[in-house]
Amino acid sequence: MTEDAAGDPVASLVRSADFDRYAAALFAPAEARPHLLALYAFDAELARVRDLVSEPMPGELRLQWWRDALADPERADAASHPIMRALEAAIRYGGLPRPALEGLIDAHNDGLYDDPVASVEEMEARFGATRSAVLRLATILLAKGREPGGADAAGYGGVALGVSRLIADIRLRPERLRGMVPADRMAARGVSLADLGERRGGARVAGLVAELVAVGTRRLGEARSAFATVDPEAGAAFLPLAPVARDLARYARQDAPEGDSPRWLRMARLWRASRRSPPF
């Protein structure tokens, strides 16, 4: 295992986009590790499209490139793209279904429009189409294309991870929220997007965060309960969930998130989690 991503554009992208997911991949079986990083890099590439464009149409064109590359990975521009080339190797290694990868592109395409989510249920559906979908694909990859079980665990776990990251954005990066905070809960608490963007609202925002913490905690518990159905070979896919419980507990206390901890400490905690079942 190594933390050095220098010279590897796939690992470097994952490391910079989501250190916890990068670090978690280092504890996966050695032969699967580069393929798991390729899947995560693909998702990171899709997610950052929204940050690169100011209008939906250029974003749709960027995402269409990925659809075309998945359909014809041997064409010159796809074959020369390091992440697409690595993803194609991951598809072959782990039997990743192309329709599911296309569905992930579609989910990120929907996010280009910043349409506000109306309810907690809609928020969970959005996270299910992105966070949970990647988690499910990671289990398939680690099982080398066999049915890995744990579809419910992936569904609940992805939502818990998404909620945790959403709360981090509320507290630290409100400019990234883009309509993902449920509008009905904001209205019930008397919180506006301006309140979040300008870091005001005090007790009202704290109450909103507490509601989201409760959602994330419930879904994480359900993921733990469903983990028994996961093929042991696929268990490492769930390691990115290891920091979620600690983060949610910190948010409930209005403390800093786990992401503020030194990276060596986060690595150590992930190592300890990798030796447990479930690892989160």
Side-chain angles (χ1 to χ4, degrees):
M1 185 187 71
T2 176
E3 189 186 340
D4 184 11
D8 181 350
V10 176
S12 294
L13 174 60
V14 181
R15 191 177 192 274
S16 62
D18 189 334
F19 180 80
D20 286 339
R21 193 152 66 171
Y22 164 77
L26 300 181
F27 297 101
E31 69 169 9
R33 198 174 302 149
H35 304 302
L36 198 56
L37 287 169
L39 172 63
Y40 294 158
F42 171 62
D43 183 51
E45 280 281 281
L46 301 181
R48 73 175 184 167
V49 167
R50 180 61 189 82
D51 296 326
L52 297 174
V53 299
S54 56
E55 297 290 337
M57 186 55 68
E60 289 205 15
L61 293 174
R62 286 175 178 267
L63 292 175
Q64 184 60 45
W65 184 92
W66 287 100
R67 291 191 189 90
D68 294 342
L70 272 175
D72 185 8
E74 295 184 3
R75 71 184 205 183
D77 58 340
S80 64
H81 193 290
I83 293 171
M84 185 60 222
R85 191 166 59 245
L87 179 65
E88 187 62 23
I91 291 170
R92 293 194 299 270
Y93 171 87
L96 296 179
R98 290 181 193 272
L101 295 168
E102 292 164 0
L104 189 59
I105 297 173
D106 292 341
H108 282 288
N109 192 94
D110 292 342
L112 294 174
Y113 290 86
D114 295 344
D115 295 330
V117 299
S119 63
V120 169
E121 292 76 16
E122 186 176 341
M123 175 194 72
E124 291 187 296
R126 295 267 194 105
F127 288 140
T130 51
R131 300 282 186 180
S132 300
V134 174
L135 187 48
R136 173 66 171 166
L137 284 164
T139 64
I140 293 171
L141 187 153
L142 290 174
K144 297 182 181 178
R146 297 188 299 275
E147 171 52 51
D152 287 343
Y156 293 133
V159 170
L161 179 59
V163 170
S164 178
R165 298 296 176 84
L166 177 63
I167 298 171
D169 287 343
I170 290 174
R171 296 195 56 195
L172 304 174
R173 299 171 293 273
E175 70 280 358
R176 295 179 58 87
L177 291 172
R178 295 172 182 151
M180 283 301 294
V181 183
D184 61 345
R185 304 323 308 151
M186 291 178 64
R189 292 282 176 180
V191 174
S192 68
L193 287 175
D195 291 332
L196 299 179
E198 296 175 19
R199 293 181 171 84
R200 66 191 188 205
R204 290 178 288 119
V205 173
L208 175 65
V209 167
E211 285 194 64
L212 294 174
V213 166
V215 172
T217 301
R218 181 171 66 253
R219 295 308 185 203
L220 190 65
E222 290 168 330
R224 286 194 184 112
S225 297
F227 186 79
T229 64
V230 177
D231 187 318
E233 278 194 297
F238 290 84
L239 194 53
L241 302 184
V244 172
R246 182 183 292 268
D247 277 348
L248 290 172
R250 287 187 169 199
Y251 297 139
R253 299 191 305 265
Q254 300 295 306
D255 290 342
E258 173 73 357
D260 288 350
S261 302
R263 287 184 169 183
W264 68 265
L265 181 57
R266 288 151 66 191
M267 288 281 289
R269 287 173 176 157
L270 284 166
W271 175 79
R272 288 197 296 270
S274 72
R275 302 169 70 83
R276 300 194 302 261
S277 181
F280 57 95

